Amino acid sequence: MKIVFYGAGNMAHAIFTGIVNSNILPAENIYLTNRSNEEALKSYSDALGVQYSYDDEQLLKDADYVFLGSKPHDFDQIAERIRKHTDSNQKFISIMAGLPITYIREKLTVDNPIARIMPNTNAHVGHSVTGVSFSSNFGPKSKDEVLEVINAFGSAIEVQEDHLHQVTAITGSGPAFLYHVFEKYVLAGTKLGLEKSQVEESIQELIIGTSKMIERSDLSMEQLRKNITSKGGTTQAGLNALSEYDIEGIFEDCLKAAVTRSIELSSQDENES
């Protein structure tokens, strides 16, 4: 299998690093290119053993999967450049936000199978939750191959394309929302009189430990919470204080705003095209 990445930015880097580290295919079967930052490509090649080139014909020859990871506004130019080098056996995987499958197909002037994936930055540590949508002509074997690639840097949720907006809000933007909550937790902790460095270190370990408990337990998060909440104890007192605020409503507003913006950006990209 040969995989080509058009665009080697932050998210693409996380993906191809995950693929290399998982050993699902040799590093030399992965090819990278970008607009002009050859120094970055060389560093990835030296560190991981992947290959890079600025020759579209060489890149696309015998390629099985082509990841489209450019900035959305750069895609038209890339599509015009590469379409003459594509063949009917290739499958395209887009990590470009906002560009629907129909638009990608139109610009590439191909009938090839196309998938859209929506990873998050946790791909860097092999724990991205990635939404994926497949065009109707994606065969079962090819789907399995794509899901195997995604599982190299996390896990996959297959959804209809119009539900990628929700996935973007919940998991794509999710790390930022959780970081924000953790930031505020640290600030609240420092107001109790401890040094900020102590609070930050403690909460980092708290987050890691809690995540491992969720990962390793068969219990729901609700039950895990109940297991450490003694009637009349300190945890119950803190939870009673939290119950004075509509936390669920706050997160509903947060996610709805992100979904709305995702839809707006998608419509904006289509209209500008």
Side-chain angles (χ1 to χ4, degrees):
M1 184 191 302
K2 176 181 177 181
I3 298 179
V4 179
F5 283 81
Y6 270 85
N10 189 45
M11 189 55 65
H13 177 214
I15 293 171
F16 61 71
T17 300
I19 296 171
V20 171
N21 290 340
S22 70
N23 296 312
I24 61 173
L25 78 160
E28 59 265 26
N29 288 19
I30 298 174
Y31 288 73
L32 314 177
T33 193
N34 59 21
R35 289 183 67 181
S36 58
N37 189 354
E38 186 172 0
E39 184 178 344
L41 298 182
K42 187 176 186 307
S43 69
Y44 297 147
S45 179
D46 292 341
L48 299 170
V50 297
Q51 303 194 57
Y52 69 92
S53 174
Y54 287 102
D55 183 333
D56 293 320
E57 184 175 5
Q58 178 194 6
L59 286 165
L60 293 168
K61 183 180 180 182
D62 300 323
D64 297 290
Y65 291 94
V66 181
F67 276 77
L68 303 170
S70 68
K71 300 292 185 184
H73 61 263
D74 291 329
F75 174 65
D76 286 10
Q77 184 179 10
I78 292 171
E80 184 176 356
R81 199 179 78 217
I82 71 174
R83 63 169 69 109
K84 61 185 176 184
H85 300 299
T86 62
D87 66 55
S88 59
N89 295 319
Q90 292 163 346
K91 291 92 177 173
F92 294 90
I93 303 174
S94 170
I95 56 176
M96 300 179 294
L99 298 186
I101 288 172
T102 52
Y103 182 82
I104 295 168
R105 172 166 286 124
E106 175 190 337
K107 292 300 176 181
L108 289 173
T109 63
V110 297
D111 292 321
N112 299 42
I114 298 173
R116 287 182 62 194
I117 67 172
M118 195 59 58
N120 65 32
T121 55
N122 290 346
H124 282 287
V125 292
H127 284 281
S128 172
V129 180
T130 301
V132 55
S133 295
F134 296 99
S135 61
S136 58
N137 59 343
F138 232 104
K141 181 181 177 183
S142 297
K143 275 189 178 183
D144 287 343
E145 288 180 340
V146 171
L147 293 174
E148 183 181 13
V149 168
I150 292 173
N151 288 334
F153 55 90
S155 60
I157 301 175
E158 185 178 349
V159 296
Q160 296 297 317
E161 187 176 12
D162 59 358
H163 285 164
L164 282 176
H165 300 297
Q166 286 86 340
V167 174
T168 298
I170 296 169
T171 65
S173 300
F177 302 149
L178 294 180
Y179 289 143
H180 184 68
V181 171
F182 301 150
E183 282 180 75
K184 299 305 178 185
Y185 196 22
V186 168
L187 290 174
T190 60
K191 292 178 181 178
L192 298 178
L194 295 176
E195 294 292 331
K196 185 178 181 183
S197 60
Q198 292 177 305
V199 177
E200 285 182 333
E201 184 177 345
S202 298
I203 291 176
Q204 284 174 7
E205 286 301 314
L206 175 68
I207 294 164
I208 293 168
T210 305
S211 298
K212 289 188 181 296
M213 284 291 293
I214 294 170
E215 179 183 26
R216 296 177 184 179
S217 175
D218 293 329
L219 301 177
S220 67
M221 284 186 273
E222 179 184 10
Q223 188 58 52
L224 288 169
R225 171 182 56 79
K226 288 180 177 178
N227 287 351
I228 56 173
T229 307
S230 301
K231 186 175 181 180
T234 57
T235 304
Q236 185 64 65
L239 289 171
N240 288 343
L242 283 176
S243 69
E244 296 296 318
Y245 303 88
D246 184 11
I247 295 176
E248 182 179 348
I250 290 169
F251 276 106
E252 282 181 4
D253 290 346
C254 168
L255 295 176
K256 285 177 182 176
V259 169
T260 299
R261 186 55 180 156
S262 178
I263 294 170
E264 289 172 353
L265 290 172
S266 179
S267 300
Q268 178 179 313
D269 285 331
E270 290 187 74
N271 292 335
E272 287 180 355
S273 306

mmCIF file of all heavy atoms in Angstrom, residues 109-126:
data_model
loop_
_atom_site.group_PDB
_atom_site.id
_atom_site.type_symbol
_atom_site.label_atom_id
_atom_site.label_comp_id
_atom_site.label_asym_id
_atom_site.label_seq_id
_atom_site.Cartn_x
_atom_site.Cartn_y
_atom_site.Cartn_z
ATOM 1 N N THR A 109 -12.525 16.177 -10.748
ATOM 2 C CA THR A 109 -13.142 15.579 -11.951
ATOM 3 C C THR A 109 -12.906 14.075 -11.987
ATOM 4 O O THR A 109 -12.454 13.520 -12.983
ATOM 5 C CB THR A 109 -12.635 16.242 -13.251
ATOM 6 O OG1 THR A 109 -11.223 16.018 -13.404
ATOM 7 C CG2 THR A 109 -12.924 17.733 -13.269
ATOM 8 N N VAL A 110 -13.234 13.413 -10.864
ATOM 9 C CA VAL A 110 -13.074 11.961 -10.771
ATOM 10 C C VAL A 110 -14.342 11.354 -10.176
ATOM 11 O O VAL A 110 -15.143 12.041 -9.547
ATOM 12 C CB VAL A 110 -11.878 11.578 -9.873
ATOM 13 C CG1 VAL A 110 -10.567 12.077 -10.460
ATOM 14 C CG2 VAL A 110 -12.068 12.079 -8.445
ATOM 15 N N ASP A 111 -14.499 10.043 -10.396
ATOM 16 C CA ASP A 111 -15.574 9.289 -9.760
ATOM 17 C C ASP A 111 -15.023 8.355 -8.681
ATOM 18 O O ASP A 111 -15.694 7.427 -8.238
ATOM 19 C CB ASP A 111 -16.341 8.466 -10.807
ATOM 20 C CG ASP A 111 -17.126 9.345 -11.769
ATOM 21 O OD1 ASP A 111 -17.689 10.354 -11.306
ATOM 22 O OD2 ASP A 111 -17.164 9.025 -12.970
ATOM 23 N N ASN A 112 -13.797 8.603 -8.283
ATOM 24 C CA ASN A 112 -13.129 7.738 -7.308
ATOM 25 C C ASN A 112 -13.830 7.779 -5.950
ATOM 26 O O ASN A 112 -14.496 8.762 -5.619
ATOM 27 C CB ASN A 112 -11.677 8.179 -7.118
ATOM 28 C CG ASN A 112 -10.869 8.104 -8.386
ATOM 29 O OD1 ASN A 112 -11.337 8.465 -9.452
ATOM 30 N ND2 ASN A 112 -9.637 7.639 -8.283
ATOM 31 N N PRO A 113 -13.642 6.736 -5.149
ATOM 32 C CA PRO A 113 -14.137 6.774 -3.768
ATOM 33 C C PRO A 113 -13.461 7.908 -2.993
ATOM 34 O O PRO A 113 -12.254 8.122 -3.112
ATOM 35 C CB PRO A 113 -13.737 5.407 -3.206
ATOM 36 C CG PRO A 113 -13.597 4.522 -4.411
ATOM 37 C CD PRO A 113 -13.065 5.413 -5.481
ATOM 38 N N ILE A 114 -14.260 8.624 -2.206
ATOM 39 C CA ILE A 114 -13.748 9.741 -1.410
ATOM 40 C C ILE A 114 -14.296 9.610 0.007
ATOM 41 O O ILE A 114 -15.483 9.328 0.210
ATOM 42 C CB ILE A 114 -14.164 11.101 -2.009
ATOM 43 C CG1 ILE A 114 -13.576 11.268 -3.414
ATOM 44 C CG2 ILE A 114 -13.718 12.258 -1.106
ATOM 45 C CD1 ILE A 114 -14.063 12.509 -4.141
ATOM 46 N N ALA A 115 -13.434 9.810 0.990
ATOM 47 C CA ALA A 115 -13.858 9.835 2.389
ATOM 48 C C ALA A 115 -13.467 11.171 2.995
ATOM 49 O O ALA A 115 -12.489 11.793 2.584
ATOM 50 C CB ALA A 115 -13.207 8.704 3.175
ATOM 51 N N ARG A 116 -14.254 11.603 3.949
ATOM 52 C CA ARG A 116 -13.880 12.759 4.762
ATOM 53 C C ARG A 116 -13.667 12.293 6.188
ATOM 54 O O ARG A 116 -14.476 11.523 6.724
ATOM 55 C CB ARG A 116 -14.981 13.823 4.749
ATOM 56 C CG ARG A 116 -15.099 14.597 3.458
ATOM 57 C CD ARG A 116 -16.191 15.658 3.582
ATOM 58 N NE ARG A 116 -15.888 16.642 4.632
ATOM 59 C CZ ARG A 116 -16.782 17.499 5.117
ATOM 60 N NH1 ARG A 116 -18.034 17.481 4.678
ATOM 61 N NH2 ARG A 116 -16.433 18.372 6.046
ATOM 62 N N ILE A 117 -12.575 12.731 6.797
ATOM 63 C CA ILE A 117 -12.340 12.390 8.200
ATOM 64 C C ILE A 117 -12.151 13.667 9.003
ATOM 65 O O ILE A 117 -11.675 14.666 8.496
ATOM 66 C CB ILE A 117 -11.132 11.443 8.375
ATOM 67 C CG1 ILE A 117 -9.808 12.133 8.020
ATOM 68 C CG2 ILE A 117 -11.309 10.172 7.569
ATOM 69 C CD1 ILE A 117 -8.582 11.293 8.369
ATOM 70 N N MET A 118 -12.582 13.602 10.253
ATOM 71 C CA MET A 118 -12.492 14.749 11.148
ATOM 72 C C MET A 118 -11.792 14.321 12.435
ATOM 73 O O MET A 118 -12.418 13.912 13.408
ATOM 74 C CB MET A 118 -13.898 15.287 11.456
ATOM 75 C CG MET A 118 -13.911 16.663 12.074
ATOM 76 S SD MET A 118 -13.121 17.922 11.043
ATOM 77 C CE MET A 118 -14.087 17.804 9.538
ATOM 78 N N PRO A 119 -10.439 14.343 12.435
ATOM 79 C CA PRO A 119 -9.697 13.936 13.633
ATOM 80 C C PRO A 119 -9.615 15.091 14.633
ATOM 81 O O PRO A 119 -10.108 16.185 14.378
ATOM 82 C CB PRO A 119 -8.297 13.604 13.082
ATOM 83 C CG PRO A 119 -8.317 13.977 11.623
ATOM 84 C CD PRO A 119 -9.564 14.748 11.354
ATOM 85 N N ASN A 120 -8.972 14.831 15.759
ATOM 86 C CA ASN A 120 -8.624 15.921 16.666
ATOM 87 C C ASN A 120 -7.156 15.812 17.052
ATOM 88 O O ASN A 120 -6.477 14.848 16.685
ATOM 89 C CB ASN A 120 -9.550 15.978 17.889
ATOM 90 C CG ASN A 120 -9.429 14.770 18.805
ATOM 91 O OD1 ASN A 120 -8.369 14.168 18.948
ATOM 92 N ND2 ASN A 120 -10.531 14.407 19.445
ATOM 93 N N THR A 121 -6.669 16.796 17.775
ATOM 94 C CA THR A 121 -5.233 16.881 18.041
ATOM 95 C C THR A 121 -4.715 15.771 18.959
ATOM 96 O O THR A 121 -3.506 15.589 19.076
ATOM 97 C CB THR A 121 -4.869 18.249 18.663
ATOM 98 O OG1 THR A 121 -5.682 18.460 19.835
ATOM 99 C CG2 THR A 121 -5.100 19.375 17.675
ATOM 100 N N ASN A 122 -5.617 15.014 19.570
ATOM 101 C CA ASN A 122 -5.171 13.880 20.375
ATOM 102 C C ASN A 122 -4.564 12.780 19.509
ATOM 103 O O ASN A 122 -4.015 11.805 20.043
ATOM 104 C CB ASN A 122 -6.329 13.314 21.196
ATOM 105 C CG ASN A 122 -6.755 14.245 22.315
ATOM 106 O OD1 ASN A 122 -6.045 15.185 22.648
ATOM 107 N ND2 ASN A 122 -7.907 14.006 22.885
ATOM 108 N N ALA A 123 -4.638 12.953 18.198
ATOM 109 C CA ALA A 123 -3.950 12.026 17.290
ATOM 110 C C ALA A 123 -2.457 11.991 17.589
ATOM 111 O O ALA A 123 -1.793 10.978 17.358
ATOM 112 C CB ALA A 123 -4.187 12.437 15.833
ATOM 113 N N HIS A 124 -1.917 13.086 18.119
ATOM 114 C CA HIS A 124 -0.489 13.147 18.433
ATOM 115 C C HIS A 124 -0.085 12.115 19.482
ATOM 116 O O HIS A 124 1.075 11.705 19.534
ATOM 117 C CB HIS A 124 -0.112 14.544 18.935
ATOM 118 C CG HIS A 124 0.015 15.560 17.842
ATOM 119 N ND1 HIS A 124 1.066 15.578 16.964
ATOM 120 C CD2 HIS A 124 -0.799 16.586 17.477
ATOM 121 C CE1 HIS A 124 0.910 16.578 16.103
ATOM 122 N NE2 HIS A 124 -0.213 17.200 16.393
ATOM 123 N N VAL A 125 -1.041 11.706 20.313
ATOM 124 C CA VAL A 125 -0.728 10.704 21.336
ATOM 125 C C VAL A 125 -1.506 9.409 21.098
ATOM 126 O O VAL A 125 -1.653 8.578 21.990
ATOM 127 C CB VAL A 125 -1.016 11.246 22.762
ATOM 128 C CG1 VAL A 125 -0.042 12.351 23.111
ATOM 129 C CG2 VAL A 125 -2.458 11.743 22.889
ATOM 130 N N GLY A 126 -1.987 9.245 19.859
ATOM 131 C CA GLY A 126 -2.658 8.008 19.481
ATOM 132 C C GLY A 126 -4.059 7.850 20.032
ATOM 133 O O GLY A 126 -4.572 6.725 20.114
#
